[in-house]
Amino acid sequence: TKKHIRAWEHFLKSKKDLIFVFEDDAICKNDTEERLKDLFSRLKSFNLNNFFIDLAGGLNLEHIIPPRTIKKCDDELIILTGIYTNTACGYLVNRNLIKLFYDEYQKTKSNKYFPIDHLINKLGLNIKKNHYIYSIHFHNPLFTHGSFKGNIKSWQNY
């Protein structure tokens, strides 16, 4: 969690609009580059001010997505109202939402004890009360979550 927060802090000091965050078990697929290009060309059409995009998946989407939160669903992706992380293996977030996450994170010391995926969900719940926020998931994620797929041994198993 500390590494993710430090990445957010460095990002907020920059002038960048988007942040990619990857853990060491994110693995590119053969079509990742092409699908990322497509994602970037589609971002503006989503017309969302505050978004979190899960890039690496992990858990079965049926286990993490409340059906009532689905705003849009097509063959490639699902757009949800609210933040529902799958895992934090790989994600893309815009500046507005990182600022909201970071400000909310600073409000309580207990936040630093949460695993990052749980923290992002918790921050999203608190922020949702005052802002429109969205998460985007892919039916077939752009990256493979190596620990989930058995390609990489998780640091927790050493």
Side-chain angles (χ1 to χ4, degrees):
T1 299
K2 288 179 186 177
K3 290 178 184 178
H4 288 258
I5 300 303
R6 277 198 311 269
W8 297 357
E9 289 170 342
H10 288 291
F11 171 69
L12 290 171
K13 291 176 187 173
S14 77
K15 303 284 187 214
K16 306 297 180 191
D17 294 324
L18 300 170
I19 182 174
F20 273 102
V21 179
F22 291 100
E23 293 186 342
D24 61 356
D25 60 343
I27 301 171
C28 289
K29 296 180 175 182
N30 291 336
D31 63 352
T32 296
E33 181 180 1
E34 190 62 36
R35 292 180 68 207
L36 272 174
K37 288 177 185 176
D38 182 58
L39 173 62
F40 283 125
S41 69
R42 294 178 69 186
L43 273 180
K44 288 189 190 249
S45 70
F46 295 156
N47 196 27
L48 306 174
N49 290 329
N50 303 302
F51 61 84
F52 171 95
I53 303 176
D54 182 289
L55 298 170
L59 301 170
N60 184 325
L61 292 179
E62 293 170 357
H63 296 175
I64 62 163
I65 295 175
R68 72 183 184 289
T69 65
I70 297 173
K71 177 182 166 131
K72 178 183 176 188
C73 183
D74 62 28
D75 291 341
E76 186 173 30
L77 55 82
I78 302 169
I79 299 176
L80 311 168
T81 56
I83 302 298
Y84 298 90
T85 61
N86 195 330
T87 67
C89 178
Y91 57 92
L92 171 70
V93 186
N94 70 324
R95 173 173 287 284
N96 293 341
L97 188 53
I98 288 293
K99 177 81 170 97
L100 292 171
F101 278 170
Y102 189 75
D103 290 348
E104 187 65 30
Y105 171 79
Q106 294 297 331
K107 289 182 181 178
T108 174
K109 293 181 195 256
S110 68
N111 285 336
K112 64 183 173 184
Y113 299 109
F114 283 87
I116 189 60
D117 48 348
H118 294 276
L119 175 63
I120 290 170
N121 286 331
K122 179 182 181 291
L123 298 174
L125 283 172
N126 293 345
I127 293 166
K128 187 178 173 182
K129 297 171 188 168
N130 299 312
H131 299 276
Y132 290 103
I133 58 176
Y134 302 91
S135 49
I136 299 172
H137 294 269
F138 290 85
H139 296 290
N140 176 20
L142 278 66
F143 295 84
T144 297
H145 186 170
S147 297
F148 270 66
K149 299 293 184 181
N151 302 86
I152 295 175
K153 190 173 183 179
S154 173
W155 63 270
Q156 295 153 326
N157 295 328
Y158 285 105

